[in-house]
Amino acid sequence: MLNTERPSAQHRELDRYADERLIAALVDDQRHAVAAVAAAQTDLARAVEAAVPRLRGGGRLVYVGAGTSGRLGLLDSVELPPTFSWPPQRALALLAGGQRAMFEAIEGAEDRADQGALDIDRLPVNKQDVVLLIAASGTTPYVIGALRAARRRGALTIALANNPGTPIVMEADIGIVLDTGSEVISGSTRLKAGTAQKIALNTLSSAMMVRLNKVFGNLMVDVNPSNAKLYRRALDLTIGATGCSEDLARTTLEACGCRVKVAIVAILGDLGVAEAATRLDGVDGSVRAALNRRPIR
């Protein structure tokens, strides 16, 4: 029996707990999710190291999953464009059952290995792409079909599963095990197994974006200020990185189309926004490298 499906030895009378004790049991069990991701840090780092050159060369991030795992992958994919100005056409998600499965359970869709392969072929995935395959069980046919098709096409395959020794972990180029064990509500992998997947996906994609020069220090300097909240964030990031006044930050951002990295380089490097943008283009968007080319005031 898979670890995630094994009945938990704890809380056998969970349904009889008073509310406070019930909440405490559910919250406490989530702590194992963090521990499971921490135990996988070496493999997570290997995945980032392998993925970044392909992404730098124009590859796409393709998330594949079913049910909770698929929805978590889609969530990670849609957050990359506003957070890091990652092109939306390079952050794709495949769900068993199609996009409708985001909002309702499409029973039986996860059992279609042939559909997983077909969805990969329809993109089509290529050798520059990075395919993230997510399945708590590690045995989901739809995900296995997608994995095998992606490998045939030469893509880098990275698997996330909550059970060791399972097909997607063993067959992927890099298999990452998030061994969360049995669930407090037995078999409900939307609980700590899903939490561990969310943490791991956040960690992977954020680390990739750091390596792709989307971050300066620990500041999210490639944000796409597409609404009032994000415009305010762009202002605060510019001020925080440069120590300039709000007026100068606002004027510079308006002059460069609200590109925070350009504003930072222009202000710290005492440059016009056009020259700041050119310098960034010449160093693959690295704020630090662009600034090192000219003494800072």
Side-chain angles (χ1 to χ4, degrees):
M1 184 177 289
L2 296 171
N3 289 348
T4 52
E5 302 298 323
R6 192 177 64 246
S8 175
Q10 296 183 314
H11 310 295
R12 291 189 182 276
E13 296 192 350
L14 187 75
D15 61 329
R16 300 179 68 180
Y17 286 4
D19 288 347
E20 216 170 290
R21 188 181 177 194
L22 173 62
I23 294 298
L26 290 165
V27 170
D28 185 67
D29 200 53
Q30 294 284 334
R31 300 179 197 275
H32 297 289
V34 178
V37 178
Q41 287 180 77
T42 298
D43 288 330
L44 289 164
R46 285 177 56 227
V48 172
E49 183 180 12
V52 166
R54 299 196 189 214
L55 299 177
R56 188 172 283 131
R60 299 169 294 180
L61 273 171
V62 181
Y63 299 75
V64 181
T68 297
S69 298
R71 295 181 190 106
L72 289 170
L74 188 146
L75 179 62
D76 203 67
S77 75
V78 299
E79 289 176 343
L80 295 181
T83 307
F84 298 110
S85 293
W86 186 251
Q89 67 272 20
R90 293 177 62 197
L92 307 173
L94 300 176
L95 279 72
Q99 297 300 307
R100 188 163 63 95
M102 185 66 188
F103 305 101
E104 60 182 284
I106 309 297
E107 299 300 335
E110 69 179 56
D111 298 330
R112 294 281 308 277
D114 60 329
Q115 188 63 53
L118 185 61
D119 287 349
I120 286 289
D121 290 337
R122 279 176 175 167
L123 282 179
V125 162
N126 61 62
K127 64 182 180 180
Q128 286 297 104
D129 294 331
V130 177
V131 181
L132 295 167
L133 303 123
I134 316 149
S137 69
T139 64
T140 306
Y142 176 84
V143 179
I144 294 172
L147 164 62
R148 291 173 180 168
R151 292 206 67 184
R152 284 195 300 271
R153 289 182 163 275
L156 174 67
T157 54
I158 301 170
L160 294 173
N162 298 85
N163 290 286
T166 47
I168 70 167
V169 170
M170 302 303 292
E171 295 185 32
D173 295 308
I174 299 174
I176 301 170
V177 178
L178 309 171
D179 193 358
T180 44
S182 58
E183 298 283 0
V184 65
I185 298 176
S186 297
S188 181
T189 53
R190 62 179 290 273
L191 297 176
K192 67 172 177 280
T195 301
Q197 291 174 0
K198 179 69 168 79
I199 297 169
L201 288 169
N202 276 351
T203 300
L204 279 172
S205 60
S206 296
M208 290 173 190
M209 294 300 118
V210 171
R211 290 288 173 257
L212 291 167
N213 300 320
K214 303 292 188 178
V215 174
F216 174 51
N218 66 347
L219 301 178
M220 192 177 78
V221 293
D222 228 354
V223 62
N224 177 17
S226 55
N227 59 33
K229 177 190 74 174
L230 293 176
Y231 179 73
R232 180 68 245 180
R233 186 171 296 166
L235 272 175
D236 291 341
L237 287 165
T238 304
I239 294 166
T242 65
C244 73
S245 68
E246 181 168 327
D247 285 344
L248 179 57
R250 191 182 301 276
T251 300
T252 308
L253 282 169
E254 289 174 358
C256 67
C258 285
R259 291 174 291 171
V260 175
K261 291 202 294 187
V262 174
I264 291 170
V265 173
I267 293 168
L268 288 181
D270 196 18
L271 304 168
V273 294
E275 185 177 352
T278 299
R279 286 178 181 267
L280 281 163
D281 289 341
V283 290
D284 198 27
S286 169
V287 171
R288 200 171 296 280
L291 291 172
N292 285 341
R293 294 182 58 183
R294 182 183 179 96
I296 300 173
R297 290 184 295 172

